[in-house]
Amino acid sequence: MGHTQWLNEEEKRAWTAFTTAHALLYRRLEHQLKREFGLSGLQYEILARLGGAPNRELRMAELACALVNSKSGLTYQVGQMEKSGLVRRRSCPSDERAVYAVLTDEGMTLLEQAAPGHVDTVRESLFDALTPDQVQALADGLGEASRRMTEGPGAARGTADGTACSGAGAEAAVDLDA
């Protein structure tokens, strides 16, 4: 094993700020979504990803990959959401192994109701505290880190057929203003 290059003071400060901000923001979003709509953060992300996908559907393996979630965890969440009428599953006629998650009209309506409060919470908690240059640096830095983790050595992400994940970035989420 090689020599460990410990974090310097600025890197420690950045790491601590990142992990603390992430935990606080996630907790705030979870609380807001649960209180107002009975949704978990992951369930909201499922709705948002499906809402932004062509025909409001994604292959389950691709959705799990985009959400950085296990296939079994996603299957459970989609099952719960299916019981509520928010999504449905469909098989693929050309590939019997493929299952798609499809956003229902009821799910789209809930997404349209939940999105404004979700975005307001993200804006108030994160983006209103940053300058435009800081937002750009955050997007550039975290985008590069995500790219390296998904494409670089030791990357463990991919779909069942071995292809790389697509739609893993935040830009894959639905834009309700479009």
Side-chain angles (χ1 to χ4, degrees):
M1 233 163 87
H3 174 72
T4 299
Q5 182 180 350
W6 298 106
L7 302 180
N8 65 35
E9 290 305 312
E10 191 64 10
E11 290 167 336
K12 282 192 260 185
R13 188 174 80 82
W15 175 247
T16 300
F18 169 76
T19 57
T20 302
H22 174 267
L24 291 169
L25 179 57
Y26 194 79
R27 182 182 305 151
R28 188 171 285 185
L29 289 169
E30 283 279 327
H31 180 72
Q32 181 261 331
L33 288 167
K34 189 63 77 181
R35 182 184 71 242
E36 294 180 21
F37 300 99
L39 291 172
S40 70
L42 178 56
Q43 290 170 336
Y44 176 84
E45 287 300 320
I46 291 168
L47 294 177
R49 297 301 173 122
L50 293 175
N55 300 319
R56 298 189 329 206
E57 66 179 27
L58 284 170
R59 191 173 175 165
M60 290 282 287
E62 185 178 359
L63 182 57
C65 197
L67 295 170
V68 192
N69 199 286
S70 70
K71 291 177 192 174
S72 62
L74 178 67
T75 298
Y76 173 78
Q77 289 298 325
V78 168
Q80 295 302 304
M81 296 170 77
E82 203 169 24
K83 290 176 188 173
S84 300
L86 303 174
V87 298
R88 66 178 177 81
R89 286 181 261 205
R90 74 162 183 87
S91 58
C92 178
S94 62
D95 182 356
E96 61 191 41
R97 297 173 302 157
V99 176
Y100 285 80
V102 182
L103 184 65
T104 65
D105 290 341
E106 186 177 335
M108 189 66 190
T109 298
L110 182 60
L111 175 61
E112 290 170 342
Q113 293 168 350
H118 182 78
V119 171
D120 287 346
T121 301
V122 169
R123 178 166 302 289
E124 175 188 301
S125 301
L126 179 63
F127 293 112
D128 287 352
L130 303 175
T131 67
D133 287 343
Q134 289 170 323
V135 171
Q136 182 176 351
L138 180 68
D140 291 346
L142 294 178
E144 177 60 17
S146 295
R147 185 197 65 74
R148 287 179 72 174
M149 287 185 272
T150 57
E151 297 173 6
R157 298 204 31 228
T159 59
D161 60 9
T163 58
C165 292
S166 63
E171 68 279 357
V174 66
D175 181 358
L176 297 173
D177 293 330

